[in-house]
Each structure stands twice: as structure tokens, then as C-alpha cells.
């Protein structure tokens, strides 16, 4: 801790914020970085933005909160995260600092966003996908009447399923008795389009809240997933966050309900279609069931996980739980090193404790299934494909079985590849972020020492 001179010049870089009862969120859209800080911290940041020195901010803090503030740690944190500069970083140097900050935020893939409060580094701004959709249009798409209509459709689908339980097909519906390869690829196409619409729903809901968002490919453990980065939604109201997180499942629920109703009409003869279309509708319904079931995996970053964290008022439940469990292991190993959880409230610590059981059970089962099911099946498919390709005896003797192999390799193999790639990228990102934080703190300490000598 450098011990900043009381008359240090603090420069606050552009940011946006949102206050809550016991915390505040600050963020920078250009770097896609956001932080949760105490409300008192936001007070100090606002005073710095008004031109207060540390001494003046300390006096204001004492007058408002009735206690003395030690601002050095707070200044350290804000410097390290790129929200402020101290003393000497002015003019061209400040511009270089902001540019480097924006570049690092882009390179490291730091999560989080805020409503833009300036454009410090042209060309480095984190751009949203589908920017042609205006916020006004997005709000109409997710207006109350539209959400009510979606709710009615889902209710109709659920009621149809409850009154006609036999209408819901079993998983064997995916083993088409005829035209296996054609219907399998058609099901895959429907699934891909459905996933895309699911993610677009998240993007549009985020746009309705004034938050930029991007659609990409990622992984949860070793499972390949599509994902929408809308981290800046934490700067929106709680209602807007609920809509953004639930928008994808709502879309899946609507299309799944329509499929249920169509199957009922086909069964009664009110809708006459070829048998293949009925099989395909039933298969499509299973893809929607699968996505809704996936969202219930609360031990990973799924849509319902974010709904839960919004409801209980935590923002990084998984990471906090991992830190808490790591501290427990270190106590067993008698290691003095500890992860800092001092900023968590008693309510948040209680959430971390009960969530740890969900986390361990869910991840344990998922990782076990990787070694017990996914890898053996993938290796088996690949070995059969090799035998078939080399002209040896193989179970793959038709386009139908080749289709199964290709689908398995694309989904399971693709998930393993993306997971490994993301793991390596995160490690490089952490190293780059730690180096950048160190450089910022070193510069701040140098400025503080120079200010102390000058005074």
C-alpha cells in the first residue's frame, strides 16, 4: 500500500453505476469490466470525480458515515481495475493508460459491461451484435403484452400435456424407424435454429435494458454450448435482469408448447400431416425439453442459475463458493494462505454454504459421466469410424450409422476441444490481468512517492 499523499490528484475514468440497498455496481462498457463495491465506495468514487483529494474525500466520509476512512486500499483497488489514475498520469500518459486498459479488457475477455460513458479508445470499444435492433424495438418485443401472450401459450401447452400425458413422446422418438439419417440431420437443424433463437432472445432482452450483448460459442465443463455475453445486465434493474435471464427459456417454452399442441392436433386427426412430420415434431419437442432441463443445472452458469443469484442477491455465487471450499481444503492442509471473502455479507456466506453441496454434487456427477459415458462412447465411435475408413470390419456400414458418429464427434469432441481451449485462454488472461494490475499499482506507488517527496 503506497500511502497516497492527502493532496493527491485523483482522475476518475468514465464509468456507469447502479446502487442497491447494500452494494453498488460500477462498470465500463469499453473494457467490459464491472465491480461490486460497498455503497460507501461509490460515494468516495463520486467525490473523487467531483475533484476531491483523498483528504477531502476522507473528511466527507467521516461526516457522512461517522467513522474514519482508510482510503489507500480502495484507491489501490480502483487503480488496479483501471477506474482511476493518481497524480502523474495526465495528458498523453493518461490517454495511453486508458488505451492500454481498453486493450487489456478486450484481450483478456474480462466479463462485465456498463452503459457507455464515453469512448476513451476509438476502435477498441466492445461492440454488441445486432446493433441494428434499436432499444425501442427491443422493448416492444419484450413488452408486458408480449410476455403475457407467451405465458398463455406456455400455459396452454402445459395444460395439454397434463390432460393428455400420452402425447409426450419418450426419448426413443429420436431413433427414427425410417429415413434415419435425413430425419436426424433435420432434427439437428431444428435444434441449431432453436439454440440461435434462444440466444437472440437473450440479446434482444439485454438490448431492451440498454445493455450491449454478443453471441458466441463456449463450454460448461466439457459440454459445448452457445452463450450470450450480457454481463452488463448487472447494471440494469432487477426486473430487467429477470427478463434478460428468462427470455431464452421463455422462447423454448413457447416453441415447446406449440409442438405439444401440434402433436395433439395430429393425434386427433384435426391436423393431417405425413408420418415423418409427426416424428420430426416429436423430436423437435425433445430438443426443447433438453434445453429447459439444461437450465436446471444450477451448479453451472445457466439461465436459471442467474435467476437464483438475482433473487438471493449474489453476483458471483460459483466463484465465491469455489473460494470458500478452497479455504476449507487449505485449513485441512494447514496452509496459511486464504482467499479473501471479507466482502461477503452473512447472508451471502449462508448462500455459499448451501450452494457448495449443489456445486459438488452436480459437478461430481457431470465429471463422472465424462469418464464413464462420454469418453468411452466417443472413443468407440471414432474407432469404428477408423475401421470403416480403412476397409476393416466395422459396425458402421451405412450412412445412418455414419450420421451417429459424426453427430457424436461434433458435439462431444467439440465440447472437449472448446473446454481445453478456454482453459488455456483463461490462464493466459489471468497472467495478463495480474501483470497489468501490477503495472498500474507500480505507477500509482511511484506517483504517490513523488507526491510525498514534493510536499
Amino acid at each position: 500500500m503506497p500511502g497516497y499523499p492527502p493532496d493527491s490528484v485523483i482522475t476518475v475514468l468514465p464509468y456507469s453505476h447502479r446502487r442497491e440497498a447494500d452494494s453498488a455496481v460500477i462498470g465500463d462498457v469499453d473494457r467490459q469490466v464491472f465491480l461490486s463495491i460497498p455503497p460507501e465506495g461509490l460515494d468516495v468514487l463520486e467525490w473523487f470525480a467531483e475533484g476531491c483529494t483523498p483528504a477531502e474525500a476522507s473528511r466527507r466520509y467521516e461526516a457522512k458515515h461517522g467513522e474514519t476512512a482508510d482510503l489507500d486500499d480502495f484507491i489501490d483497488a480502483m487503480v488496479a481495475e483501471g477506474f482511476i489514475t493518481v497524480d502523474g498520469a495526465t495528458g498523453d500518459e493518461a490517454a495511453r493508460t486508458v488505451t492500454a486498459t481498453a486493450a487489456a479488457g478486450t484481450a483478456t475477455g474480462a466479463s462485465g459491461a456498463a452503459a457507455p460513458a464515453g469512448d476513451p479508445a476509438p476502435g477498441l470499444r466492445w461492440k454488441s451484435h445486432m446493433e441494428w435492433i434499436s432499444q425501442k424495438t427491443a422493448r416492444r418485443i419484450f413488452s408486458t403484452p408480449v410476455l403475457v401472450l407467451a405465458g398463455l401459450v406456455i400455459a396452454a401447452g402445459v395444460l395439454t400435456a397434463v390432460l393428455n400425458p400420452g402425447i409426450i413422446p419418450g426419448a426413443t422418438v429420436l431413433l427414427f424407424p425410417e429415413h434415419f439419417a435425413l430425419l436426424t440431420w433435420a432434427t439437428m437443424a431444428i435444434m441449431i435454429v432453436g439454440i440461435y433463437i434462444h440466444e437472440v432472445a437473450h440479446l434482444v432482452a439485454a438490448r431492451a435494458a440498454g445493455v450491449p450483448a454478443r453471441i458466441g460459442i463456449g463450454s460448461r465443463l466439457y459440454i459445448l454450448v452457445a452463450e450470450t455475453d450480457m454481463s452488463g445486465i448487472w447494471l440494469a434493474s432487477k426486473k430487467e435482469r429477470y427478463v434478460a435471464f428468462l427470455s431464452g427459456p421463455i422462447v423454448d417454452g413457447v416453441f415447446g408448447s406449440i409442438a405439444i399442441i401440434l402433436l395433439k392436433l395430429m393425434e386427433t386427426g384435426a391436423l393431417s400431416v405425413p408420418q415423418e412430420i409427426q416424428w420430426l415434431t416429436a423430436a423437435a419437442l425433445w430438443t426443447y425439453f433438453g434445453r429447459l432441463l439444461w437450465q436446471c443445472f444450477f451448479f453451472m452458469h445457466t439461465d436459471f442459475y442467474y435467476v437464483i443469484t438475482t433473487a438471493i442477491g449474489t453476483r458471483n455465487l460459483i466463484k465465491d463458493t469455489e473460494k470458500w471450499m478452497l479455504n476449507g481444503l487449505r485449513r485441512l492442509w494447514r496452509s496459511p494462505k486464504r482467499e479473501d471473502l471479507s466482502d461477503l455479507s452473512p447472508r451471502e456466506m449462508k448462500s455459499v454454504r448451501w450452494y457448495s453441496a449443489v456445486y459438488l454434487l452436480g459437478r461430481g456427477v457431470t465429471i463422472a459421466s465424462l469418464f464413464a459415458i462420454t469418453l468411452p462412447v466417443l472413443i468407440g465411435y471414432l474407432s469404428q469410424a477408423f475401421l470403416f475408413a480403412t476397409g476393416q470390419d466395422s459396425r458402421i456400414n451405412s450412412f445412418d450409422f455414419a450420421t451417429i458418429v459424426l453427430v457424436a464427434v461434433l458435439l462431444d469432441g467439440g465440447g472437449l476441444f472448446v473446454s481445453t481451449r478456454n482453459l488455456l485462454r483463461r490462464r493466459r488472461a489471468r497472467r495478463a490481468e495480474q501483470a497489468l494490475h501490477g503495472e498500474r499499482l507500480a505507477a500509482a506507488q511511484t506517483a504517490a512517492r513523488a507526491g510525498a517527496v514534493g510536499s
Side-chain angles (χ1 to χ4, degrees):
M1 188 169 63
Y4 298 97
D7 58 348
S8 296
V9 177
I10 306 293
T11 302
V12 179
L13 304 179
Y15 73 96
S16 293
H17 71 276
R18 177 179 56 80
R19 286 183 182 269
E20 289 189 342
D22 56 355
S23 66
V25 177
I26 61 173
D28 183 342
V29 69
D30 296 301
R31 298 183 295 121
Q32 281 293 280
V33 174
F34 75 99
L35 299 174
S36 177
I37 62 175
E40 298 84 357
L42 182 57
D43 291 338
V44 173
L45 196 61
E46 290 176 340
W47 295 333
F48 285 155
E50 293 171 5
C52 288
T53 63
E56 292 168 335
S58 182
R59 285 194 292 270
R60 286 195 181 188
Y61 187 96
E62 187 172 359
K64 182 173 182 178
H65 301 289
E67 58 183 16
T68 303
D70 184 359
L71 298 183
D72 285 345
D73 286 339
F74 178 75
I75 294 174
D76 277 349
M78 292 298 99
V79 168
E81 295 295 341
F83 283 95
I84 66 175
T85 59
V86 181
D87 282 334
T90 58
D92 293 338
E93 186 178 351
R96 286 195 301 272
T97 300
V98 176
T99 301
T101 297
T106 302
T108 61
S111 63
D119 191 8
L124 288 174
R125 188 174 72 86
W126 191 85
K127 288 187 176 295
S128 173
H129 286 159
M130 297 186 182
E131 292 189 336
W132 49 269
I133 300 178
S134 67
Q135 185 175 4
K136 183 178 181 180
T137 299
R139 285 179 173 172
R140 286 176 177 171
I141 293 174
F142 281 97
S143 62
T144 299
V146 173
L147 292 175
V148 170
L149 178 61
L152 292 174
V153 172
I154 294 173
V158 171
L159 182 61
T160 301
V162 170
L163 296 178
N164 305 273
I167 201 69
I168 305 298
T172 55
V173 72
L174 298 175
L175 300 175
F176 303 106
E178 299 177 21
H179 313 296
F180 177 83
L182 178 62
L183 292 177
T184 296
W185 284 114
T187 302
M188 287 288 293
I190 292 172
M191 182 180 71
I192 291 171
V193 171
I195 290 173
Y196 182 72
I197 294 174
H198 175 110
E199 299 304 328
V200 168
H202 286 309
L203 185 146
V204 174
R207 183 66 47 79
V211 173
R214 292 174 64 89
I215 298 174
I217 300 296
S219 63
R220 300 292 181 268
L221 294 180
Y222 60 87
I223 303 168
L224 188 67
V225 298
E227 58 186 7
T228 301
D229 185 350
M230 52 176 183
S231 303
I233 200 66
W234 295 111
L235 288 164
S237 68
K238 182 170 282 191
K239 177 184 176 181
E240 290 171 323
R241 277 177 274 160
Y242 279 131
V243 172
F245 295 140
L246 289 172
S247 56
I250 287 173
V251 167
D252 290 339
V254 167
F255 282 107
S257 296
I258 291 174
I260 291 173
I261 294 170
L262 289 176
L263 286 173
K264 178 58 181 177
L265 294 175
M266 294 174 191
E267 182 186 62
T268 60
L271 181 61
S272 179
V273 297
Q275 182 64 55
E276 291 80 4
I277 298 299
Q278 187 169 347
W279 291 338
L280 197 57
T281 303
L285 175 59
W286 263 93
T287 68
Y288 289 109
F289 279 166
R291 277 200 296 282
L292 289 171
L293 176 62
W294 166 261
Q295 304 307 335
C296 295
F297 291 178
F298 306 132
F299 55 91
M300 291 189 284
H301 292 96
T302 59
D303 295 342
F304 293 162
Y305 160 81
Y306 286 114
V307 171
I308 290 173
T309 57
T310 298
I312 64 179
T314 60
R315 292 181 187 80
N316 210 336
L317 186 57
I318 286 179
K319 188 173 182 180
D320 292 337
T321 300
E322 290 172 343
K323 288 181 177 180
W324 182 76
M325 291 190 298
L326 183 58
N327 285 344
L329 289 175
R330 285 172 175 166
R331 280 192 292 270
L332 289 176
W333 297 334
R334 300 184 183 279
S335 171
K337 188 177 180 181
R338 295 287 187 274
E339 297 293 327
D340 184 17
L341 294 173
S342 59
D343 59 334
L344 297 184
S345 66
R347 174 182 52 81
E348 289 174 313
M349 281 303 304
K350 183 178 180 180
S351 299
V352 164
R353 292 188 183 96
W354 68 256
Y355 181 75
S356 63
V358 177
Y359 179 97
L360 289 173
L361 179 61
R363 298 218 166 195
V365 170
T366 304
I367 293 174
S369 69
L370 169 64
F371 292 98
I373 301 173
T374 302
L375 285 178
V377 169
L378 181 59
I379 293 171
Y381 282 148
L382 290 174
S383 63
Q384 291 297 319
F386 174 77
L387 293 174
F388 179 73
T390 55
Q392 303 179 57
D393 289 338
S394 169
R395 297 176 184 177
I396 301 175
N397 53 14
S398 71
F399 182 49
D400 290 349
F401 285 102
T403 294
I404 295 177
V405 171
L406 186 56
V407 169
V409 170
L410 287 176
L411 294 180
D412 295 330
L416 290 169
F417 170 78
V418 173
S419 297
T420 303
R421 183 199 64 183
N422 288 347
L423 178 63
L424 295 175
R425 284 182 175 179
R426 283 194 293 269
R427 287 181 177 177
R428 289 195 296 267
R430 282 195 296 268
R431 293 192 189 102
E433 186 177 5
Q434 289 170 357
L436 182 62
H437 286 188
E439 290 174 3
R440 290 176 182 152
L441 282 176
Q445 291 168 1
T446 300
R449 285 194 294 268
V453 171
S455 62

